[in-house]
Structures are given as structure tokens and as C-alpha cells.
Amino acid sequence: MKTISDRLQDVRARVAAAATSARRTPDEVHLLAVSKTWPAAAVREAAAAGQRAFGENYVQEGVDKIEALRELGLEWHFIGPLQSNKTRLVASAFDWVHSIDRLKIAERLSAQRDVHLAPLNVCLQVNVSGEESKSGVAPGEVAALAQAVADLPRLRLRGLMCIPEPTGDVTLLRARFALLRELQVQLIAAGLSLDTLSMGMSHDIEPAVAEGATIVRVGTAIFGERARPANPN
């Protein structure tokens, strides 16, 4: 039976192969290990295998792990939907937030980020597939939101994130990821300094990397199938 270390090695090999196939260098793509619902012990095991960046979807669960593993000096990314009443905890504990889709959330994070901490790295989540049930700003509204967020103190707008609809259609997936890349290009042309495309998960690493992903968010392929948390928030 494969260990977390074994699976990490497999995922890193997938990322490297995808980058090489896309005529990119593997160092351009950073692996974010999505540890939601997994205990601190699993994160510790992954950290022992060299993984430094971890993603959490549930605020309280993530904060508890950050506290439990503080001595390891890990980098923590919040990647789930964020409610207004949870922003203070996220602003205080995390290094990144990938899931900003409205200005109110960004304003609260900005106001609640301790001035003694480094600026909070943030990405805007874009609903590239137009699903009504999915979080994310509409592609046509990205530019206005990006300009507003970029002007906020104590935040650093790094780029864009997306979660396309689940599908085995690689052509469709590449089109969704390409849309996110094109939006980033437009924002850079408008004067914003962006370096991050957070896209791709366990099942679609390859098309995401082919379309320019700089962060791939991988959970199942590293930790295995998840159990649902008893108290997710």
C-alpha cells in the first residue's frame, strides 16, 4: 500500500511530465497539497516528505491544523468558499486565499490583516463554466473586481483561480483553463502585476499545466479518498 510520501512522488512526477510536455520547466508549477478533512498527522507526514504548501477548505479545521503544526513553518492556503463571519480567522492565520469572488470579502480581509504580518496573497475565483451552483465571479466582471482588490492595503493580488465543472472532456477542460489564462493576460495588459494561475486538481493536472497553471491543488492523489468532517467550519 502506497504511503503519502509515495503518492507525493507520483504527483510530482505527473506535474514534471506535464510541464515538460508543455515545454515548460517543472519549477514553474507549484504543488499545493489539499489537506482538508485529513488530520494534522497526515500533513506532518507530507511535510516530512518535503511538501511545504497546504490547502484547506474549512476555516476552523484549517486554523486548528495551523496551530498544531506551527513549528514546521508551513505555508497555508485557504481555497474554499469564505463567509463574512470567518474572514478574521483567515486573515490572521493563512498566507494565501484563492477564493475571493466579491469585494466585501476582500475588504474584510484587508481590514482584518494584522499590519505586522506580510500582505495576504489573494486570488480571484472565476466561474469559468457558468454554473449557477458554483462560487466565482463571472468572467465579464473580473476586471472591475481585480482593480478594486488590487487597491486594498495589506492584500497582494497574485492572480486567478478556477474550478471547472467535472468532466472527462479534455478539450473542454483546456478551454476552461485557457479562458482563465486569457483573463490573466488581459489584467496584466491593464497594468496589474499577476503571476499566479491556480487551476488543476487530481484528475486534471495535465490539461491545467498545458494551459499555464502555476499552482495545482491536489488532494486525493496525495492523501487518498476523504472522509467528510463532522463540523466542517
Side-chain angles (χ1 to χ4, degrees):
M1 186 174 182
K2 285 193 173 184
T3 65
I4 288 174
S5 179
D6 294 333
R7 295 193 192 104
L8 265 171
Q9 186 173 350
D10 291 344
V11 171
R12 288 170 183 150
R14 281 180 65 188
V15 171
T20 300
S21 180
R23 298 185 179 180
R24 302 176 62 196
T25 62
D27 288 347
E28 293 177 44
V29 188
H30 302 281
L31 176 60
L32 180 62
V34 179
S35 46
K36 67 176 183 180
T37 79
W38 287 94
V43 176
R44 192 179 291 277
E45 184 178 346
Q51 181 63 29
R52 307 309 299 167
F54 293 86
E56 292 287 330
N57 284 58
Y58 308 116
V59 177
Q60 192 59 58
E61 179 193 335
V63 169
D64 289 346
K65 280 184 228 177
I66 291 169
E67 288 298 325
L69 301 168
R70 188 168 295 280
E71 81 280 2
L72 297 181
L74 303 175
E75 181 178 277
W76 294 93
H77 297 233
F78 187 78
I79 60 176
L82 183 53
Q83 300 171 347
S84 296
N85 64 344
K86 301 288 186 180
T87 54
R88 186 174 297 278
L89 284 171
V90 171
S92 299
F94 284 84
D95 304 295
W96 284 71
V97 176
H98 291 230
S99 49
I100 291 178
D101 62 0
R102 57 195 189 279
L103 184 58
K104 176 183 177 181
I105 295 296
E107 288 174 336
R108 290 178 64 88
L109 290 169
S110 172
Q112 293 164 351
R113 183 70 169 179
D114 191 315
V115 295
H116 299 102
L117 295 175
L120 182 63
N121 298 293
V122 299
C123 294
L124 305 184
Q125 182 173 350
V126 184
N127 189 346
V128 293
S129 51
E131 298 170 88
E132 292 184 5
S133 61
K134 186 161 288 181
S135 300
V137 61
E141 299 172 0
V142 169
L145 180 59
Q147 292 288 352
V149 172
D151 288 338
L152 293 172
R154 296 189 289 281
L155 300 185
R156 181 184 174 195
L157 180 61
R158 297 293 296 268
L160 305 175
M161 183 269 260
C162 72
I163 307 173
E165 69 272 46
T167 177
D169 186 338
V170 174
T171 300
L172 178 58
L173 281 172
R174 288 197 61 161
R176 302 302 195 207
F177 294 139
L179 172 58
L180 199 72
R181 174 172 44 79
E182 287 303 316
L183 289 170
Q184 184 194 42
V185 168
Q186 292 170 20
L187 294 175
I188 292 172
L192 295 177
S193 179
L194 306 180
D195 60 8
T196 300
L197 284 175
S198 171
M199 58 190 196
M201 297 185 287
S202 292
H203 64 285
D204 54 13
I205 290 172
E206 288 78 10
V209 172
E211 294 298 338
T214 62
I215 295 178
V216 290
R217 310 179 307 274
V218 180
T220 302
I222 295 171
F223 294 104
E225 294 295 334
R226 297 184 181 89
R228 292 189 177 277
N231 184 14
N233 289 315

